[in-house]
Amino acid sequence: MSAVGSQKRFTPARISAMKGGKPIVCLTAYTTPMARLLDEHCDLLLVGDSLGMVLYGMETTIGVTLDMMIAHGKAVMRGVAKACVVVDMPFGSYQESKEVAFRNAVRILQETGCDAVKLEGGEEMAETIAFLTKRGIPVMGHIGLMPQQVQTAGGYRSVGHSEHETSKIRRDAHAIGGSGAFAVVVEGTVEPLAREVTSAMHVPTIGIGASAACDGQVLVSDDILGLFNDFTPRFVKRYDELGKRVAEAAAAYAEEVRTRKFPTAEHTFKRRP
């Protein structure tokens, strides 16, 4: 639980009220130090299951567990004073039934102290989201490209190109918009369609690889900082190349250790008189 939790100002209700107004700023956070750095600049911090790929070297998010999400959710909450914190429900933690989803969502909220959970899925998950929200659990939806379904979707690719995909996303937006979700992530969706569903929905849309017309934007922090280099999606903009700078710092340190330039007297302890 955040030591400054009582001072937090952004809540799911406040995020929802930002529909059509000032764009919502969202980034991912997985650790306490990163949460502290991002908190001042973000309205919402997402503890995304993308941590499986970014931090653990997994090929997809499928292997992420509930315990992992809770551990990182706790870490982020220790570093937050302002932003609304949403924790992803990992694959397998909510699809079986709405009752299973409820139990796991309660565990996330109780053990992390976060503000809300996020789960992927369109019309097939609307009943589950309604079940959770009616029982006091704030839920963020996620439609369009859904990374947890990458195995059946044929890989990571943009969606909304065919009439079949367009129709499905429209139905998903309508269903999730009426389910009680306070906001919806729209991922990897072609611009005209993302713009259309944003206009049609009464709750905020937060785009990632979608339209600038979305009510907010989210990116993976390690992507914008140049810390994750396995691949760079088309929708990512690099704002720095910290990975290169980390490697350069490590190389300089290694050189000084090997040439005995480090440590010097100022970095060592002397015996007390």
Side-chain angles (χ1 to χ4, degrees):
M1 190 72 177
S2 171
V4 288
S6 62
Q7 300 175 31
K8 285 177 61 184
R9 298 186 300 278
F10 279 91
T11 63
R14 183 172 172 186
I15 295 294
S16 187
M18 295 175 74
K19 173 70 180 180
K22 189 175 182 179
I24 299 164
V25 178
C26 178
L27 284 169
T28 61
Y30 315 119
T31 65
T32 304
M34 187 63 79
R36 287 175 177 154
L37 292 170
L38 302 178
D39 182 53
E40 178 61 27
H41 308 286
C42 294
D43 308 312
L44 192 153
L45 289 178
L46 174 64
V47 187
D49 59 359
S50 50
L51 63 85
M53 304 167 76
V54 174
L55 298 184
Y56 292 91
M58 298 178 179
E59 291 188 3
T60 71
T61 63
I62 303 301
V64 175
T65 66
L66 190 63
D67 286 342
M68 290 166 66
M69 295 308 305
I70 288 173
H72 287 279
K74 288 179 179 178
V76 168
M77 287 301 295
R78 295 185 191 109
V80 167
K82 169 186 170 245
C84 179
V85 176
V86 178
V87 176
D88 262 344
M89 297 192 72
F91 179 74
S93 68
Y94 60 91
Q95 293 94 337
E96 181 180 350
S97 70
K98 55 186 184 293
E99 291 80 11
V100 169
F102 177 77
R103 286 194 294 272
N104 288 330
V106 167
R107 187 179 165 203
I108 290 172
L109 292 179
Q110 289 182 335
E111 295 188 30
T112 68
C114 71
D115 300 290
V117 297
K118 180 173 78 64
L119 56 85
E120 295 181 13
E123 53 189 349
E124 71 280 3
M125 295 309 304
E127 183 181 349
T128 294
I129 294 175
F131 186 86
L132 298 184
T133 57
K134 287 176 182 177
R135 287 158 179 77
I137 298 175
V139 179
M140 176 181 285
H142 186 141
I143 63 174
L145 169 63
M146 290 179 271
Q148 291 180 11
Q149 298 182 21
V150 67
Q151 307 284 34
T152 55
Y156 296 100
R157 61 179 183 83
S158 58
V159 295
H161 297 279
S162 67
E163 184 53 41
H164 173 74
E165 289 180 348
T166 298
S167 177
K168 176 66 167 70
I169 291 170
R170 284 174 179 153
R171 296 197 309 271
D172 288 345
H174 178 75
I176 300 305
S179 68
F182 71 90
V184 180
V185 169
V186 180
E187 180 168 359
T189 301
V190 295
E191 200 280 341
L193 182 57
R195 182 181 293 271
E196 176 189 326
V197 299
T198 294
S199 177
M201 299 182 78
H202 70 278
V203 297
T205 59
I206 300 177
I208 176 168
S211 173
C214 289
D215 298 294
Q217 300 294 327
V218 59
L219 284 175
V220 172
S221 298
D222 296 67
D223 280 339
I224 73 167
L225 297 174
L227 290 170
F228 181 73
N229 296 303
D230 288 5
F231 61 89
T232 303
R234 173 186 174 86
F235 54 77
V236 168
K237 179 178 179 179
R238 297 273 188 171
Y239 287 83
D240 209 328
E241 292 292 346
L242 297 187
K244 179 180 178 182
R245 291 162 62 182
V246 168
E248 289 172 348
Y253 165 73
E255 173 63 20
E256 290 198 359
V257 169
R258 289 174 180 136
T259 58
R260 299 192 183 276
K261 293 179 181 178
F262 176 86
T264 63
E266 65 179 304
H267 304 114
T268 56
F269 298 98
K270 296 180 175 61
R271 181 179 292 173
R272 294 189 184 93

